mmCIF file of all heavy atoms in Angstrom:
data_model
loop_
_atom_site.group_PDB
_atom_site.id
_atom_site.type_symbol
_atom_site.label_atom_id
_atom_site.label_comp_id
_atom_site.label_asym_id
_atom_site.label_seq_id
_atom_site.Cartn_x
_atom_site.Cartn_y
_atom_site.Cartn_z
ATOM 1 N N PRO A 1 -7.046 5.579 5.502
ATOM 2 C CA PRO A 1 -5.870 4.717 5.310
ATOM 3 C C PRO A 1 -6.138 3.394 4.606
ATOM 4 O O PRO A 1 -5.385 2.990 3.722
ATOM 5 C CB PRO A 1 -5.349 4.507 6.734
ATOM 6 C CG PRO A 1 -6.482 4.879 7.643
ATOM 7 C CD PRO A 1 -7.251 5.928 6.922
ATOM 8 N N LEU A 2 -7.217 2.701 4.988
ATOM 9 C CA LEU A 2 -7.497 1.420 4.352
ATOM 10 C C LEU A 2 -7.885 1.607 2.894
ATOM 11 O O LEU A 2 -7.499 0.819 2.023
ATOM 12 C CB LEU A 2 -8.601 0.682 5.117
ATOM 13 C CG LEU A 2 -8.988 -0.706 4.580
ATOM 14 C CD1 LEU A 2 -7.763 -1.614 4.475
ATOM 15 C CD2 LEU A 2 -10.058 -1.340 5.464
ATOM 16 N N ALA A 3 -8.643 2.663 2.604
ATOM 17 C CA ALA A 3 -9.039 2.938 1.219
ATOM 18 C C ALA A 3 -7.821 3.284 0.366
ATOM 19 O O ALA A 3 -7.722 2.877 -0.798
ATOM 20 C CB ALA A 3 -10.051 4.084 1.184
ATOM 21 N N TRP A 4 -6.873 4.033 0.936
ATOM 22 C CA TRP A 4 -5.644 4.334 0.200
ATOM 23 C C TRP A 4 -4.880 3.042 -0.089
ATOM 24 O O TRP A 4 -4.362 2.853 -1.191
ATOM 25 C CB TRP A 4 -4.766 5.279 1.022
ATOM 26 C CG TRP A 4 -5.201 6.711 1.038
ATOM 27 C CD1 TRP A 4 -6.479 7.183 1.009
ATOM 28 C CD2 TRP A 4 -4.349 7.858 1.102
ATOM 29 N NE1 TRP A 4 -6.481 8.552 1.055
ATOM 30 C CE2 TRP A 4 -5.190 8.994 1.113
ATOM 31 C CE3 TRP A 4 -2.980 8.028 1.158
ATOM 32 C CZ2 TRP A 4 -4.675 10.292 1.184
ATOM 33 C CZ3 TRP A 4 -2.464 9.321 1.229
ATOM 34 C CH2 TRP A 4 -3.302 10.437 1.231
ATOM 35 N N ALA A 5 -4.797 2.172 0.914
ATOM 36 C CA ALA A 5 -4.077 0.911 0.731
ATOM 37 C C ALA A 5 -4.765 0.038 -0.313
ATOM 38 O O ALA A 5 -4.105 -0.594 -1.148
ATOM 39 C CB ALA A 5 -3.988 0.169 2.060
ATOM 40 N N ARG A 6 -6.108 -0.015 -0.276
ATOM 41 C CA ARG A 6 -6.855 -0.803 -1.263
ATOM 42 C C ARG A 6 -6.603 -0.251 -2.670
ATOM 43 O O ARG A 6 -6.457 -1.018 -3.638
ATOM 44 C CB ARG A 6 -8.341 -0.771 -0.935
ATOM 45 C CG ARG A 6 -9.185 -1.754 -1.713
ATOM 46 C CD ARG A 6 -9.015 -3.170 -1.218
ATOM 47 N NE ARG A 6 -9.530 -3.332 0.135
ATOM 48 C CZ ARG A 6 -9.440 -4.462 0.836
ATOM 49 N NH1 ARG A 6 -8.857 -5.516 0.285
ATOM 50 N NH2 ARG A 6 -9.921 -4.544 2.063
ATOM 51 N N SER A 7 -6.538 1.061 -2.795
ATOM 52 C CA SER A 7 -6.262 1.686 -4.088
ATOM 53 C C SER A 7 -4.878 1.313 -4.579
ATOM 54 O O SER A 7 -4.673 1.007 -5.765
ATOM 55 C CB SER A 7 -6.389 3.208 -3.973
ATOM 56 O OG SER A 7 -7.686 3.588 -3.539
ATOM 57 N N LEU A 8 -3.901 1.323 -3.670
ATOM 58 C CA LEU A 8 -2.542 0.928 -4.038
ATOM 59 C C LEU A 8 -2.486 -0.523 -4.502
ATOM 60 O O LEU A 8 -1.821 -0.847 -5.495
ATOM 61 C CB LEU A 8 -1.603 1.111 -2.838
ATOM 62 C CG LEU A 8 -0.932 2.465 -2.653
ATOM 63 C CD1 LEU A 8 -0.172 2.496 -1.336
ATOM 64 C CD2 LEU A 8 0.009 2.788 -3.813
ATOM 65 N N ALA A 9 -3.174 -1.395 -3.774
ATOM 66 C CA ALA A 9 -3.173 -2.810 -4.125
ATOM 67 C C ALA A 9 -3.757 -3.033 -5.516
ATOM 68 O O ALA A 9 -3.204 -3.795 -6.326
ATOM 69 C CB ALA A 9 -3.953 -3.611 -3.082
ATOM 70 N N GLU A 10 -4.854 -2.352 -5.799
ATOM 71 C CA GLU A 10 -5.503 -2.513 -7.102
ATOM 72 C C GLU A 10 -4.629 -1.967 -8.226
ATOM 73 O O GLU A 10 -4.473 -2.602 -9.277
ATOM 74 C CB GLU A 10 -6.853 -1.798 -7.096
ATOM 75 C CG GLU A 10 -7.665 -1.997 -8.365
ATOM 76 C CD GLU A 10 -9.046 -1.359 -8.281
ATOM 77 O OE1 GLU A 10 -9.568 -1.200 -7.155
ATOM 78 O OE2 GLU A 10 -9.590 -1.008 -9.345
ATOM 79 N N LEU A 11 -4.028 -0.799 -8.000
ATOM 80 C CA LEU A 11 -3.191 -0.191 -9.038
ATOM 81 C C LEU A 11 -1.898 -0.979 -9.230
ATOM 82 O O LEU A 11 -1.417 -1.126 -10.362
ATOM 83 C CB LEU A 11 -2.877 1.258 -8.679
ATOM 84 C CG LEU A 11 -2.100 2.058 -9.726
ATOM 85 C CD1 LEU A 11 -2.861 2.108 -11.051
ATOM 86 C CD2 LEU A 11 -1.827 3.471 -9.218
ATOM 87 N N ALA A 12 -1.337 -1.489 -8.143
ATOM 88 C CA ALA A 12 -0.109 -2.285 -8.250
ATOM 89 C C ALA A 12 -0.346 -3.525 -9.108
ATOM 90 O O ALA A 12 0.500 -3.900 -9.929
ATOM 91 C CB ALA A 12 0.383 -2.678 -6.858
ATOM 92 N N GLU A 13 -1.509 -4.148 -8.927
ATOM 93 C CA GLU A 13 -1.836 -5.326 -9.735
ATOM 94 C C GLU A 13 -2.058 -4.936 -11.193
ATOM 95 O O GLU A 13 -1.591 -5.612 -12.103
ATOM 96 C CB GLU A 13 -3.075 -6.012 -9.171
ATOM 97 C CG GLU A 13 -3.443 -7.280 -9.916
ATOM 98 C CD GLU A 13 -4.629 -8.009 -9.286
ATOM 99 O OE1 GLU A 13 -5.175 -7.510 -8.283
ATOM 100 O OE2 GLU A 13 -5.002 -9.074 -9.811
ATOM 101 N N ARG A 14 -2.747 -3.831 -11.395
ATOM 102 C CA ARG A 14 -3.059 -3.399 -12.756
ATOM 103 C C ARG A 14 -1.790 -3.036 -13.535
ATOM 104 O O ARG A 14 -1.700 -3.296 -14.743
ATOM 105 C CB ARG A 14 -4.013 -2.194 -12.725
ATOM 106 C CG ARG A 14 -4.403 -1.678 -14.095
ATOM 107 C CD ARG A 14 -5.310 -0.473 -14.014
ATOM 108 N NE ARG A 14 -6.557 -0.737 -13.307
ATOM 109 C CZ ARG A 14 -7.565 0.135 -13.224
ATOM 110 N NH1 ARG A 14 -7.460 1.325 -13.801
ATOM 111 N NH2 ARG A 14 -8.657 -0.185 -12.561
ATOM 112 N N THR A 15 -0.821 -2.440 -12.874
ATOM 113 C CA THR A 15 0.401 -1.983 -13.549
ATOM 114 C C THR A 15 1.551 -2.974 -13.432
ATOM 115 O O THR A 15 2.668 -2.680 -13.875
ATOM 116 C CB THR A 15 0.854 -0.632 -12.976
ATOM 117 O OG1 THR A 15 1.114 -0.770 -11.570
ATOM 118 C CG2 THR A 15 -0.205 0.439 -13.190
ATOM 119 N N SER A 16 1.293 -4.128 -12.806
ATOM 120 C CA SER A 16 2.334 -5.145 -12.599
ATOM 121 C C SER A 16 3.545 -4.554 -11.874
ATOM 122 O O SER A 16 4.697 -4.757 -12.264
ATOM 123 C CB SER A 16 2.774 -5.760 -13.934
ATOM 124 O OG SER A 16 1.681 -6.380 -14.585
ATOM 125 N N ALA A 17 3.264 -3.808 -10.815
ATOM 126 C CA ALA A 17 4.329 -3.151 -10.064
ATOM 127 C C ALA A 17 5.246 -4.182 -9.411
ATOM 128 O O ALA A 17 4.783 -5.183 -8.861
ATOM 129 C CB ALA A 17 3.735 -2.236 -8.997
ATOM 130 N N SER A 18 6.541 -3.920 -9.463
ATOM 131 C CA SER A 18 7.509 -4.801 -8.809
ATOM 132 C C SER A 18 7.719 -4.408 -7.349
ATOM 133 O O SER A 18 8.204 -5.215 -6.550
ATOM 134 C CB SER A 18 8.845 -4.737 -9.550
ATOM 135 O OG SER A 18 9.325 -3.398 -9.594
ATOM 136 N N SER A 19 7.365 -3.167 -7.027
ATOM 137 C CA SER A 19 7.499 -2.692 -5.652
ATOM 138 C C SER A 19 6.515 -1.554 -5.425
ATOM 139 O O SER A 19 6.074 -0.892 -6.373
ATOM 140 C CB SER A 19 8.934 -2.213 -5.381
ATOM 141 O OG SER A 19 9.286 -1.155 -6.250
ATOM 142 N N VAL A 20 6.169 -1.344 -4.152
ATOM 143 C CA VAL A 20 5.355 -0.196 -3.754
ATOM 144 C C VAL A 20 6.131 0.523 -2.662
ATOM 145 O O VAL A 20 6.512 -0.076 -1.658
ATOM 146 C CB VAL A 20 3.963 -0.606 -3.243
ATOM 147 C CG1 VAL A 20 3.182 0.631 -2.818
ATOM 148 C CG2 VAL A 20 3.198 -1.369 -4.321
ATOM 149 N N ILE A 21 6.375 1.804 -2.875
ATOM 150 C CA ILE A 21 7.251 2.580 -1.999
ATOM 151 C C ILE A 21 6.519 3.828 -1.537
ATOM 152 O O ILE A 21 5.785 4.464 -2.308
ATOM 153 C CB ILE A 21 8.551 2.959 -2.735
ATOM 154 C CG1 ILE A 21 9.284 1.675 -3.169
ATOM 155 C CG2 ILE A 21 9.454 3.834 -1.868
ATOM 156 C CD1 ILE A 21 10.483 1.930 -4.064
ATOM 157 N N ALA A 22 6.707 4.199 -0.271
ATOM 158 C CA ALA A 22 6.097 5.407 0.278
ATOM 159 C C ALA A 22 7.080 6.073 1.222
ATOM 160 O O ALA A 22 8.058 5.470 1.675
ATOM 161 C CB ALA A 22 4.796 5.068 1.014
ATOM 162 N N ALA A 23 6.826 7.324 1.514
ATOM 163 C CA ALA A 23 7.623 8.022 2.509
ATOM 164 C C ALA A 23 7.381 7.391 3.886
ATOM 165 O O ALA A 23 6.295 6.872 4.153
ATOM 166 C CB ALA A 23 7.241 9.502 2.539
ATOM 167 N N GLY A 24 8.401 7.444 4.733
ATOM 168 C CA GLY A 24 8.250 6.908 6.084
ATOM 169 C C GLY A 24 7.571 7.890 7.011
ATOM 170 O O GLY A 24 7.967 8.046 8.178
ATOM 171 N N SER A 25 6.535 8.546 6.529
ATOM 172 C CA SER A 25 5.738 9.479 7.325
ATOM 173 C C SER A 25 4.688 8.691 8.094
ATOM 174 O O SER A 25 4.549 7.470 7.926
ATOM 175 C CB SER A 25 5.055 10.488 6.398
ATOM 176 O OG SER A 25 4.203 9.802 5.478
ATOM 177 N N GLU A 26 3.926 9.370 8.927
ATOM 178 C CA GLU A 26 2.857 8.681 9.647
ATOM 179 C C GLU A 26 1.876 8.045 8.664
ATOM 180 O O GLU A 26 1.456 6.898 8.835
ATOM 181 C CB GLU A 26 2.127 9.659 10.571
ATOM 182 C CG GLU A 26 2.962 10.117 11.763
ATOM 183 C CD GLU A 26 2.192 10.997 12.711
ATOM 184 O OE1 GLU A 26 1.019 11.300 12.418
ATOM 185 O OE2 GLU A 26 2.754 11.391 13.751
ATOM 186 N N ARG A 27 1.531 8.790 7.622
ATOM 187 C CA ARG A 27 0.605 8.247 6.627
ATOM 188 C C ARG A 27 1.241 7.126 5.823
ATOM 189 O O ARG A 27 0.627 6.085 5.588
ATOM 190 C CB ARG A 27 0.121 9.363 5.692
ATOM 191 C CG ARG A 27 -0.904 10.295 6.310
ATOM 192 C CD ARG A 27 -1.509 11.206 5.271
ATOM 193 N NE ARG A 27 -2.573 12.022 5.844
ATOM 194 C CZ ARG A 27 -3.343 12.844 5.147
ATOM 195 N NH1 ARG A 27 -3.161 12.955 3.838
ATOM 196 N NH2 ARG A 27 -4.282 13.548 5.738
ATOM 197 N N GLY A 28 2.458 7.358 5.368
ATOM 198 C CA GLY A 28 3.115 6.349 4.539
ATOM 199 C C GLY A 28 3.243 5.018 5.245
ATOM 200 O O GLY A 28 2.931 3.961 4.676
ATOM 201 N N ASN A 29 3.686 5.045 6.500
ATOM 202 C CA ASN A 29 3.832 3.798 7.255
ATOM 203 C C ASN A 29 2.479 3.151 7.534
ATOM 204 O O ASN A 29 2.353 1.923 7.488
ATOM 205 C CB ASN A 29 4.569 4.068 8.566
ATOM 206 C CG ASN A 29 6.064 4.256 8.367
ATOM 207 O OD1 ASN A 29 6.668 3.612 7.517
ATOM 208 N ND2 ASN A 29 6.663 5.148 9.138
ATOM 209 N N GLU A 30 1.472 3.971 7.826
ATOM 210 C CA GLU A 30 0.150 3.415 8.117
ATOM 211 C C GLU A 30 -0.462 2.769 6.874
ATOM 212 O O GLU A 30 -0.975 1.642 6.938
ATOM 213 C CB GLU A 30 -0.783 4.507 8.644
ATOM 214 C CG GLU A 30 -2.166 3.986 9.012
ATOM 215 C CD GLU A 30 -3.075 5.052 9.586
ATOM 216 O OE1 GLU A 30 -2.873 6.250 9.263
ATOM 217 O OE2 GLU A 30 -3.997 4.710 10.343
ATOM 218 N N VAL A 31 -0.399 3.464 5.751
ATOM 219 C CA VAL A 31 -1.010 2.946 4.527
ATOM 220 C C VAL A 31 -0.305 1.675 4.059
ATOM 221 O O VAL A 31 -0.953 0.677 3.711
ATOM 222 C CB VAL A 31 -0.995 4.012 3.410
ATOM 223 C CG1 VAL A 31 -1.436 3.402 2.082
ATOM 224 C CG2 VAL A 31 -1.904 5.175 3.773
ATOM 225 N N LEU A 32 1.021 1.666 4.092
ATOM 226 C CA LEU A 32 1.720 0.461 3.648
ATOM 227 C C LEU A 32 1.580 -0.678 4.652
ATOM 228 O O LEU A 32 1.653 -1.846 4.272
ATOM 229 C CB LEU A 32 3.185 0.761 3.355
ATOM 230 C CG LEU A 32 3.433 0.899 1.832
ATOM 231 C CD1 LEU A 32 2.757 2.147 1.298
ATOM 232 C CD2 LEU A 32 4.905 0.893 1.492
ATOM 233 N N GLY A 33 1.347 -0.357 5.915
ATOM 234 C CA GLY A 33 1.022 -1.400 6.877
ATOM 235 C C GLY A 33 -0.288 -2.085 6.512
ATOM 236 O O GLY A 33 -0.403 -3.320 6.550
ATOM 237 N N HIS A 34 -1.279 -1.281 6.138
ATOM 238 C CA HIS A 34 -2.551 -1.847 5.671
ATOM 239 C C HIS A 34 -2.340 -2.648 4.379
ATOM 240 O O HIS A 34 -2.935 -3.720 4.204
ATOM 241 C CB HIS A 34 -3.563 -0.730 5.411
ATOM 242 C CG HIS A 34 -4.260 -0.234 6.635
ATOM 243 N ND1 HIS A 34 -5.163 -0.992 7.343
ATOM 244 C CD2 HIS A 34 -4.185 0.960 7.284
ATOM 245 C CE1 HIS A 34 -5.626 -0.293 8.363
ATOM 246 N NE2 HIS A 34 -5.050 0.897 8.355
ATOM 247 N N LEU A 35 -1.496 -2.124 3.487
ATOM 248 C CA LEU A 35 -1.248 -2.823 2.225
ATOM 249 C C LEU A 35 -0.611 -4.186 2.481
ATOM 250 O O LEU A 35 -0.966 -5.177 1.827
ATOM 251 C CB LEU A 35 -0.343 -1.979 1.328
ATOM 252 C CG LEU A 35 0.017 -2.572 -0.036
ATOM 253 C CD1 LEU A 35 -1.236 -2.830 -0.868
ATOM 254 C CD2 LEU A 35 0.973 -1.641 -0.793
ATOM 255 N N GLY A 36 0.309 -4.247 3.444
ATOM 256 C CA GLY A 36 0.906 -5.526 3.792
ATOM 257 C C GLY A 36 -0.124 -6.512 4.308
ATOM 258 O O GLY A 36 -0.079 -7.710 3.988
ATOM 259 N N ALA A 37 -1.075 -6.009 5.107
ATOM 260 C CA ALA A 37 -2.128 -6.882 5.627
ATOM 261 C C ALA A 37 -3.053 -7.360 4.510
ATOM 262 O O ALA A 37 -3.483 -8.519 4.500
ATOM 263 C CB ALA A 37 -2.932 -6.142 6.694
ATOM 264 N N ILE A 38 -3.348 -6.492 3.559
ATOM 265 C CA ILE A 38 -4.224 -6.855 2.444
ATOM 266 C C ILE A 38 -3.576 -7.913 1.557
ATOM 267 O O ILE A 38 -4.220 -8.882 1.142
ATOM 268 C CB ILE A 38 -4.573 -5.603 1.601
ATOM 269 C CG1 ILE A 38 -5.484 -4.657 2.398
ATOM 270 C CG2 ILE A 38 -5.238 -6.003 0.286
ATOM 271 C CD1 ILE A 38 -5.694 -3.315 1.721
ATOM 272 N N THR A 39 -2.301 -7.728 1.271
ATOM 273 C CA THR A 39 -1.618 -8.594 0.305
ATOM 274 C C THR A 39 -0.898 -9.779 0.941
ATOM 275 O O THR A 39 -0.506 -10.713 0.237
ATOM 276 C CB THR A 39 -0.589 -7.775 -0.490
ATOM 277 O OG1 THR A 39 0.377 -7.220 0.427
ATOM 278 C CG2 THR A 39 -1.264 -6.645 -1.256
ATOM 279 N N GLY A 40 -0.700 -9.726 2.258
ATOM 280 C CA GLY A 40 0.058 -10.777 2.926
ATOM 281 C C GLY A 40 1.550 -10.684 2.660
ATOM 282 O O GLY A 40 2.282 -11.657 2.839
ATOM 283 N N LEU A 41 2.022 -9.484 2.253
ATOM 284 C CA LEU A 41 3.429 -9.286 1.934
ATOM 285 C C LEU A 41 4.155 -8.598 3.084
ATOM 286 O O LEU A 41 3.561 -7.791 3.808
ATOM 287 C CB LEU A 41 3.564 -8.432 0.671
ATOM 288 C CG LEU A 41 3.063 -9.062 -0.632
ATOM 289 C CD1 LEU A 41 3.011 -8.004 -1.731
ATOM 290 C CD2 LEU A 41 3.972 -10.222 -1.037
ATOM 291 N N PRO A 42 5.450 -8.884 3.252
ATOM 292 C CA PRO A 42 6.214 -8.214 4.313
ATOM 293 C C PRO A 42 6.509 -6.766 3.942
ATOM 294 O O PRO A 42 6.595 -6.412 2.754
ATOM 295 C CB PRO A 42 7.495 -9.037 4.392
ATOM 296 C CG PRO A 42 7.662 -9.616 3.022
ATOM 297 C CD PRO A 42 6.253 -9.881 2.532
ATOM 298 N N LEU A 43 6.662 -5.924 4.967
ATOM 299 C CA LEU A 43 6.966 -4.506 4.781
ATOM 300 C C LEU A 43 8.289 -4.179 5.451
ATOM 301 O O LEU A 43 8.494 -4.498 6.624
ATOM 302 C CB LEU A 43 5.848 -3.641 5.377
ATOM 303 C CG LEU A 43 6.166 -2.160 5.603
ATOM 304 C CD1 LEU A 43 6.415 -1.453 4.268
ATOM 305 C CD2 LEU A 43 5.029 -1.479 6.370
ATOM 306 N N ALA A 44 9.175 -3.540 4.712
ATOM 307 C CA ALA A 44 10.430 -3.036 5.279
ATOM 308 C C ALA A 44 10.275 -1.537 5.485
ATOM 309 O O ALA A 44 10.198 -0.777 4.514
ATOM 310 C CB ALA A 44 11.600 -3.331 4.346
ATOM 311 N N ALA A 45 10.205 -1.117 6.730
ATOM 312 C CA ALA A 45 9.983 0.298 7.045
ATOM 313 C C ALA A 45 11.295 1.013 7.302
ATOM 314 O O ALA A 45 12.297 0.408 7.676
ATOM 315 C CB ALA A 45 9.065 0.423 8.258
#
């Protein structure tokens, strides 16, 4: 999960993403929770 979130953070920065969206599955919520912690951004689940 943390590695997936780190990958998302790096790719989001590289592509200048305006948003990062995932399914509200167990994995999706867990990975984006980690992404919020990495970036300091709020998550709307």
Side-chain angles (χ1 to χ4, degrees):
L2 181 55
W4 283 34
R6 191 75 66 184
S7 301
L8 271 174
E10 185 176 334
L11 185 59
E13 183 176 1
R14 180 182 300 187
T15 60
S16 300
S18 57
S19 60
V20 179
I21 300 172
S25 60
E26 290 184 357
R27 285 190 175 185
N29 284 324
E30 182 178 26
V31 171
L32 258 68
H34 279 292
L35 180 60
I38 291 171
T39 60
L41 294 169
L43 164 65

